[in-house]
Amino acid sequence: SLLQPHASTANDLPLRLYGVVPILVEDPKTRLEPQITMPEVLKPEESFTVKVSEKQNKPMTYTLAVIDEGLLDITRFKTPNIWDEFNKRQALGVTTWDIFDDVIGAYGGTIDQVFSIGGDEEAAAKKGKKANRFKPVVTYLGPFRLKKGKTAKHIINMPNYVGSVRTMLIAGDNATNAYGSTDKTIPVRKPLMVLATLPRKLSPGERVSLPVTVFAMENKVKDVSLQVKTSKDISVIGASSQSLHFAKPDEQMAYFELDVSKAKGINTIEIIASGNGEKASYKVEIDVINPNPITSKYVDLELQPNATQSISFETFGVIGSNMADIEFSTLPPMDFNRRIQYLIRYPHGCVEQTTSSVFPQLYLDDIFDISAQRKQKIQENIKEGIKSLGQFQTGDGGLGYWRGYRSADDWGTSYAGHFMIEAEKKGYVLPLTFMTNWLRYQKQAARSWRPTYRRYNTDLAQAYRLYTLALVGHADLAAMNRLREFNELSNNGKWRLAAAYALAGQNEAAKKIANTANVDFVPYKYDYYTYGSVNRNRAMAMETMLLVNDKEYINLAKSIAKRLSSPNWMSTQTTAMSLLAMAKMVEKGGGKSLDISYTINGTKDKVKTPKSVSQRGLDIQNGLNTVNISNNLDNIVFVRVLNSGKLPLGNEISVKRNLSATVQYLDTNGKLINVGKLTQGTDFTAQVSIRNTSRNYVENIALTEIFPSGWEIVNTSFTEYGESSIQANYSDIRDDRVNFYFNLGSTNSKTFTVQLNAAYLGKYYRYGVQAEAMYDNDYMVRSKGSWVEVVK
């Protein structure tokens, strides 16, 4: 009755206007009292029974969860009180949604912009499978219906786990609005248990000491035999078995030396303990990864009509890292495969690089004859890219340069939106509300744009923005006309504005603007504001030529193809835009079909397709390989074999171009130390200083520090990183490495520190540091690594 309308006199105002809120109290008579009956101790790798009943024999619907207590402790999770949850205070007439994941970056403050744990694991392509090191106990059952006076039984299997679990039961009855919950925490143990620990990953050539902890929990366990079983590529140095004696219930340590010189990929190590009829085992998965980048070599062949020729090549690098692909094309060689692999493998994940990694893949299926497996992989990559880009969107609809940035990146917003528009046309589903919010931002930015001369002219960014609006069917002709009248419209701006007019159906205007532009592109001082280059600008101009049917695109296409097929470095933006332009040219112009037969190492295969480009993976062997190729048509086919591999640790090449790096290691007192041999448990700090030795201001520098497998990053709160957080625009801290992203003024330097701990006994490789300007190959430094030890 307190919530009913009352008379309008002051004395009769409803109590709710004075701040009095009615509180609903649970009626003890209707409350459910669920009960759990189960063993007082659970055993790993054995089944157990949970009995569920209601104290007063009432009917109820319930769910049952058995969760690792350690997981629950992370967030101090309490078993829910279901009555309080359903009767909590809620604003009248308001519906709420959980959009925490979408807005957390928008209100995080500046610290979100300089520090991130995790980073770009979703940035580019979908990553390969990794070892599952930590398998928590998470079992959820239900809902179930318990009839009046009945008891239900559930048989649950406990995995190989040691610790304690909490069993939680949540019950309710809609008919009586009755609720209840209960829980029970049970230890998981048995008379004999074993536990082993290893670093998160190892590298080929390293040696690691495997510590094994054996728990004898009862007096009957006296003598325990230990045995280690490993994957075929991991070997045990010395004895693979040991014996331990326990005078009383206790725990003891044993150590085994492992050699991973020949290992690669996911490997397993299993420790088996047995004694007095008891047996326990523990299996660990470990990633063995060579962190060196993939190096590629290629061999070209021009196959004449109806001819048969051979290509020979020899594998290189670490055995097991070798792979080869063959590309056939009736067009001049463009080396699509190598350039796209470069984009996919690029380790940094800003909005531009995330977009570049997937943009050209949209068109591969249209113009290439590729395998079904490759098609599926491309679709997965594009879906991951779309999902990742949705996480860059800011509150105003633009996209930040990094996740968590509150301000939008001008070029990145248009570039990512361009990709999203094309992806949606290809049938991909975009994140909910992404396009609506992005359109709102682009329209507002287009209307409010004014030329500025403070640092660089923004007319190209405005022209690209207008192009994207026209592409999505929201052409802003008023803004386009205003930009067209701008007296100092740049050559690049003209090409992109002409494309916008063409998309808007204003072909005459498009051709007039294009006729005033030229293809004599020259380096521009401020190209890096749009992550551009001369070759990127050529690719954008060629895309416009295709739209306005300018036949001069053929000459530009030859120039771009020549650059793509060369070994010269290209930035992610230039690579993606060049591949995109060439893909659109092939899609529009088509080409002659292919009919090729080829044999490698006794395996025969054939390519017959109306498409002008085809790619296939080659089944190679270590050493020399020869491919015999027959052209079954009366046309010239350009053939390229791309041979790739990873160089062994220690074979990396030092590089120094306009950047220098100084690395120091300090103890807890700030004194220099030698990390060649560290005592296990030592805390220390890595300090890296990067200096710009040129007189130019350099933007978007990426510093990568990969640490030895036996060292652990002390991932404390961000406040303890102090200077590093201030010095970097963005930080990405992972299990085995740290990436810092920053700018450097003329002859300036910045210093970054990372706290470390010598955690695991063994011999490991310490990688050199690498810093590079992501959009200018004239700025790079890379140092060689060395071997280090962690000793007792």
Side-chain angles (χ1 to χ4, degrees), residues 321-605:
S321 70
N322 318 106
M323 54 187 148
D325 295 286
I326 191 166
E327 182 176 297
F328 305 104
S329 175
T330 57
L331 304 167
M334 293 174 280
D335 211 355
F336 261 91
N337 193 52
R338 177 172 64 95
R339 294 294 183 180
I340 283 182
Q341 290 304 318
Y342 163 75
L343 293 176
I344 293 174
R345 294 171 183 147
Y346 197 73
H348 310 295
C350 67
V351 68
E352 183 277 323
Q353 292 150 0
T354 301
T355 305
S356 293
S357 69
V358 289
F359 209 156
Q361 295 186 63
L362 278 177
Y363 298 93
L364 289 187
D365 190 26
D366 295 336
I367 64 173
F368 277 51
D369 173 62
I370 52 181
S371 65
Q373 184 179 7
R374 182 78 184 272
K375 289 179 184 178
Q376 183 178 357
K377 184 63 177 175
I378 288 170
Q379 290 175 357
E380 291 174 357
N381 292 345
I382 293 171
K383 288 177 182 178
E384 287 295 321
I386 290 171
K387 178 182 175 182
S388 180
L389 286 173
Q391 298 168 0
F392 283 84
Q393 196 161 40
T394 59
D396 57 5
L399 280 80
Y401 187 72
W402 295 107
R403 289 185 185 90
Y405 269 30
R406 291 183 295 175
S407 58
D409 180 80
D410 195 42
W411 188 266
T413 297
S414 295
Y415 187 43
H418 184 184
F419 162 73
M420 292 292 220
I421 295 166
E422 299 279 14
E424 191 172 37
K425 290 180 179 179
K426 292 285 185 181
Y428 290 93
V429 178
L430 305 188
L432 189 66
T433 75
F434 176 90
M435 190 54 66
T436 301
N437 294 331
W438 177 85
L439 268 172
R440 185 182 72 249
Y441 176 89
Q442 289 291 83
K443 289 178 179 179
Q444 176 61 34
R447 287 192 296 266
S448 60
W449 176 83
R450 298 294 182 273
T452 177
Y453 305 93
R454 286 176 295 178
R455 299 183 70 180
Y456 75 111
N457 202 319
T458 60
D459 67 280
L460 175 57
Q462 172 71 348
Y464 192 23
R465 184 182 297 112
L466 296 171
Y467 167 89
T468 60
L469 286 171
L471 184 65
V472 79
H474 289 263
D476 189 339
L477 290 174
M480 290 162 61
N481 292 335
R482 189 168 72 249
L483 182 61
R484 184 181 180 183
E485 297 302 320
F486 179 44
N487 292 330
E488 298 183 36
L489 184 61
S490 66
N491 188 51
N492 295 330
K494 290 177 181 178
W495 283 115
R496 193 86 305 202
L497 182 59
Y501 273 104
L503 291 173
Q506 305 289 325
N507 294 325
E508 186 177 344
K511 289 180 179 179
K512 284 183 178 180
I513 297 172
N515 288 337
T516 65
N518 62 72
V519 294
D520 300 324
F521 296 101
V522 294
Y524 179 49
K525 181 180 180 182
Y526 294 115
D527 262 339
Y528 59 79
Y529 278 100
T530 61
Y531 319 112
S533 65
V534 167
N535 288 287
R536 192 284 306 270
N537 296 336
R538 285 174 180 159
M540 292 177 70
M542 180 178 144
E543 188 181 354
T544 301
M545 289 177 175
L546 291 169
L547 286 171
V548 299
N549 294 315
D550 186 343
K551 299 301 182 183
E552 286 298 314
Y553 78 83
I554 296 174
N555 292 325
L556 267 186
K558 291 179 180 178
S559 173
I560 294 170
K562 184 177 180 180
R563 179 74 180 185
L564 283 170
S565 62
S566 76
N568 296 334
W569 177 87
M570 296 171 72
S571 73
T572 51
Q573 171 91 172
T574 301
T575 303
M577 282 292 198
S578 297
L579 293 175
L580 183 62
M582 296 301 289
K584 288 190 173 183
M585 180 201 73
V586 175
E587 187 180 35
K588 181 176 181 177
K592 295 182 179 180
S593 57
L594 290 166
D595 189 350
I596 300 290
S597 303
Y598 64 95
T599 304
I600 179 170
N601 300 325
T603 303
K604 296 181 179 180
D605 207 342

Side-chain angles (χ1 to χ4, degrees), residues 667-720:
D667 63 15
T668 53
N669 297 318
K671 295 182 179 180
L672 290 173
I673 60 171
N674 181 1
V675 295
K677 184 175 288 188
L678 291 172
T679 303
Q680 185 181 27
T682 300
D683 289 319
F684 60 105
T685 299
Q687 189 179 84
V688 179
S689 297
I690 304 298
R691 177 176 293 278
N692 175 11
T693 58
S694 75
R695 295 190 175 276
N696 298 319
Y697 183 84
V698 185
E699 289 207 356
N700 300 309
I701 297 175
L703 166 63
T704 300
E705 298 177 71
I706 305 177
F707 298 107
S709 305
W711 296 1
E712 281 194 341
I713 298 172
V714 181
N715 207 355
T716 55
S717 84
F718 56 80
T719 55
E720 296 186 33

